Amino acid sequence: MPASDAPSSPVQPYDLAVVGGGVSGLSAAHAARQAGRSAIVLERSAAPGGSVHTLRRDGFLAEGGPHTLLLSDPRVSDWLEELGLLAQAVDANPAAAKRFILRGGVPTPLPYSAGSFLFGGWMSAGGKLRLLAEPFRHGRPPAGEESIGHWFRRHFGEEAAATILDPFVSGIYAGDPDQLSLSAAFPRIEEAASRHPSAVRSFLRTAKERKKSGGRRPKRRLVSFPEGLGQLPATLAAELGPAVRTRQDLQSITRESEGWRLTVNGEDLRARRLLLALPPEALARLPLPDDLHGELQALTTIVSPPLTGVAVGYRREQIRHPLDGFGVLCPFRERRKILGILFDSTLFPGRAPEGQVLLSVFLGGRRQEDPTVLDEDALRARVLGEARDILGIEGEPTLFHPVHWPHAIPQYDLGYHRYGELFDRLETREPGLTFAGNTRDGVALGNCVLSGKDRAEKILGIA
Ligand SMILES: Cc1cc2nc3c(=O)[nH]c(=O)nc-3n(C[C@H](O)[C@H](O)[C@H](O)COP(=O)(O)OP(=O)(O)OC[C@H]3O[C@@H](n4cnc5c(N)ncnc54)[C@H](O)[C@@H]3O)c2cc1C
């Protein structure tokens, strides 16, 4: 065991105990270790990785959780480089730049050129005109916090909101645009649109100023790895070695003069600092001292709707659709029983055996019934029926593998900032405690990586 993984003597506390072995918790422990501090990660389940769940089955490489990591912040790329993962990152196939939405039951490409904007059948002529009128017609912002749905409708019109925003929000949050807060869930959009009452003029102004100052928008890459996104937590866990403990059942966490005592699987561990990288429902159930436990009950009002992702394989000739894009998303008004279908083997070629293709069908989220409770026959009928209808499929699949998420992604609804304020308040009161992960700092994988790293460095006083 490297010296920095464990305290120098058994009675010495760890510098940092991390509860939760998802990407956020692993990144936190990795940051501590990089700075020469001792850290331990306590993970309840049998394997680290949390929502990241790659599986190999019958020659397919499938993702049960996230499919892509967006590299837009250079800090995430630097961090991947440190881990030796940047050189291995596989870019999404350029053919997957084309995205389909379902319109009248037909997969219809979203515009990718001026010609397809004007002449494509993705929206009515009136809807397109309303969209183009945004610089002159953008309504007044409401007095209080605004939902992304309200904001988008105000600027771009009803039809664009139903056609573009709705499936985009489904794709990221499996959420409801009228409940998600613009500032909490989409802070970058809010910031980019804040320079002028017209969002379009604001985006143009930012671009112009950036050009004038010689600055460039950081290159955005959508990536995975040869062994899927699971390679990310697997690499972190391998680096951390025995510092990552799985199947850990925390019985109690108590304060001590030097920090914290954690009773786990009947054993007592001590740590100077404690970092909790857990989803909201797990944070609220953690056996913390009564006062903290009481305060964290506020998190039980966070909604994390259930979601099921099903990896489905077919022989190529069974599917009529050319699968020439990222996938097809189903706007709510299409009233389908699925949220969308990703074309995995187009997005990252090589993920299906020769002559076959891999799809991922998602269902559930904020506005559909809970798919995690369906029995296998009902789920199969629903998934295959919808896929058949949308993509023109004949015959039975060669692979059908569901992964259920009873609490998939926390919804950053209107009022979500109050949870951030709660974490800030608890940290001020309790200097040895911090919170990281997708409950607090954004749900995208890149946010989680930076959340774990930054929060660990801050609490450990690492410059
Ligand atoms: C289906 C799905 C698709 C997604 N798609 C994308 C995508 O394409 N791109 C993207 O960027 N993001 C995507 N996301 C979001 C992203 O994957 C997550 O936000 C991110 O992985 C969360 O990481 P985390 O470490 O904060 O939390 P988690 O991954 O939830 O990890 C928390 C860990 O804590 C453990 N735990 C819980 N309770 C305890 C306890 N009492 N003691 C110890 N351990 C405990 C859990 O077992 C888990 O391992 C997706 C999420 C889902 C569910």
Side-chain angles (χ1 to χ4, degrees), residues 54-187:
T54 307
L55 53 121
R56 274 206 178 272
R57 182 151 301 196
D58 304 337
F60 291 92
L61 179 68
E63 299 285 5
H67 280 61
T68 53
L69 164 65
L70 176 66
L71 298 181
S72 56
D73 185 329
R75 295 179 60 216
V76 179
S77 306
D78 293 348
W79 179 85
L80 285 181
E81 182 142 38
E82 243 176 59
L83 281 173
L85 278 174
L86 192 62
Q88 297 187 52
V90 182
D91 284 282
N93 183 354
K98 190 163 161 190
R99 289 163 191 250
F100 294 88
I101 47 143
L102 204 66
R103 187 165 163 79
V106 179
T108 309
L110 280 174
Y112 45 90
S113 63
S116 60
F117 179 91
L118 288 173
F119 303 114
W122 60 285
M123 210 158 66
S124 72
K128 288 176 193 170
L129 279 176
R130 171 65 188 88
L131 190 75
L132 291 171
E134 196 279 341
F136 319 101
R137 203 175 150 196
H138 34 259
R140 261 174 200 278
E145 198 182 357
E146 190 169 23
S147 72
I148 180 81
H150 188 272
W151 177 84
F152 201 94
R153 261 195 311 276
R154 181 161 70 76
H155 286 274
F156 302 106
E158 200 68 57
E159 190 181 344
T163 308
I164 308 172
L165 177 75
D166 187 277
F168 163 75
V169 166
S170 275
I172 299 177
Y173 276 94
D176 176 353
D178 287 327
Q179 306 212 46
L180 287 166
S181 154
L182 171 66
S183 58
F186 300 95

Side-chain angles (χ1 to χ4, degrees), residues 19-25 42-45 47-52 64-70 172 229 248 250 277-279 282 286 307 362 405 408-409 436-439 442-446 448:
V19 183
V23 165
S24 307
L42 304 172
E43 165 57 43
R44 188 181 53 186
S45 70
S51 304
V52 180
H67 280 61
T68 53
L69 164 65
L70 176 66
I172 299 177
L229 283 178
Q248 300 296 295
L250 264 162
L278 298 172
L286 211 59
L307 192 71
F362 285 101
W405 301 101
I409 298 174
N438 73 358
T439 306
V443 303
L445 281 172
C448 293

Side-chain angles (χ1 to χ4, degrees), residues 76-374:
V76 179
S77 306
D78 293 348
W79 179 85
L80 285 181
E81 182 142 38
E82 243 176 59
L83 281 173
L85 278 174
L86 192 62
Q88 297 187 52
V90 182
D91 284 282
N93 183 354
K98 190 163 161 190
R99 289 163 191 250
F100 294 88
I101 47 143
L102 204 66
R103 187 165 163 79
V106 179
T108 309
L110 280 174
Y112 45 90
S113 63
S116 60
F117 179 91
L118 288 173
F119 303 114
W122 60 285
M123 210 158 66
S124 72
K128 288 176 193 170
L129 279 176
R130 171 65 188 88
L131 190 75
L132 291 171
E134 196 279 341
F136 319 101
R137 203 175 150 196
H138 34 259
R140 261 174 200 278
E145 198 182 357
E146 190 169 23
S147 72
I148 180 81
H150 188 272
W151 177 84
F152 201 94
R153 261 195 311 276
R154 181 161 70 76
H155 286 274
F156 302 106
E158 200 68 57
E159 190 181 344
T163 308
I164 308 172
L165 177 75
D166 187 277
F168 163 75
V169 166
S170 275
I172 299 177
Y173 276 94
D176 176 353
D178 287 327
Q179 306 212 46
L180 287 166
S181 154
L182 171 66
S183 58
F186 300 95
R188 284 191 175 187
I189 296 183
E190 187 191 39
E191 206 218 317
S194 64
R195 328 229 10 228
H196 191 281
S198 150
V200 170
R201 288 189 197 197
S202 180
F203 299 149
L204 291 176
R205 184 175 288 180
T206 308
K208 199 167 150 194
E209 282 171 13
R210 194 182 287 128
K211 202 169 164 196
K212 220 160 126 192
S213 66
R216 276 182 171 211
R217 194 166 177 235
K219 194 169 171 274
R220 290 156 68 91
R221 293 174 64 191
L222 202 57
V223 302
S224 181
F225 302 101
E227 289 301 315
L229 283 178
Q231 226 177 303
L232 186 59
T235 304
L236 282 164
E239 289 251 329
L240 290 163
V244 180
R245 294 195 190 174
T246 53
R247 300 182 199 278
Q248 300 296 295
D249 180 20
L250 264 162
Q251 280 109 33
S252 72
I253 302 176
T254 47
R255 293 184 184 92
E256 290 206 323
S257 55
E258 270 218 79
W260 303 90
R261 186 176 69 211
L262 296 95
T263 307
V264 55
N265 292 4
E267 184 195 346
D268 279 350
L269 298 171
R270 290 185 163 74
R272 291 195 179 86
R273 303 272 185 268
L274 179 61
L275 182 146
L276 306 177
L278 298 172
E281 64 286 351
L283 271 174
R285 278 201 307 267
L286 211 59
L288 286 159
D290 285 348
D291 57 326
L292 283 171
H293 180 78
E295 298 245 27
L296 290 175
Q297 294 319 293
L299 304 179
T300 56
T301 50
I302 297 176
V303 178
S304 302
L307 192 71
T308 295
V310 189
V312 191
Y314 285 100
R315 291 189 314 283
R316 181 66 196 90
E317 67 272 16
Q318 288 179 270
I319 306 183
R320 221 169 29 242
H321 192 279
L323 306 181
D324 53 342
F326 192 94
V328 52
L329 288 168
C330 306
F332 182 65
R333 67 175 179 186
E334 291 281 318
R335 303 277 167 187
R336 305 305 292 224
K337 294 193 172 112
I338 61 169
L339 296 169
I341 307 174
L342 293 192
F343 307 158
D344 290 60
S345 48
T346 306
L347 186 57
F348 296 112
R351 295 214 166 172
E354 190 65 32
Q356 299 196 47
V357 291
L358 177 63
L359 309 172
S360 291
V361 180
F362 285 101
L363 59 169
R366 192 69 177 266
R367 295 176 294 178
Q368 290 181 348
E369 67 179 288
D370 182 353
T372 65
V373 296
L374 292 177

Side-chain angles (χ1 to χ4, degrees), residues 394-413:
E394 277 174 17
E396 290 303 303
T398 52
L399 173 81
F400 185 89
H401 184 87
V403 177
H404 297 293
W405 301 101
H407 305 282
I409 298 174
Q411 304 289 299
Y412 286 25
D413 282 345

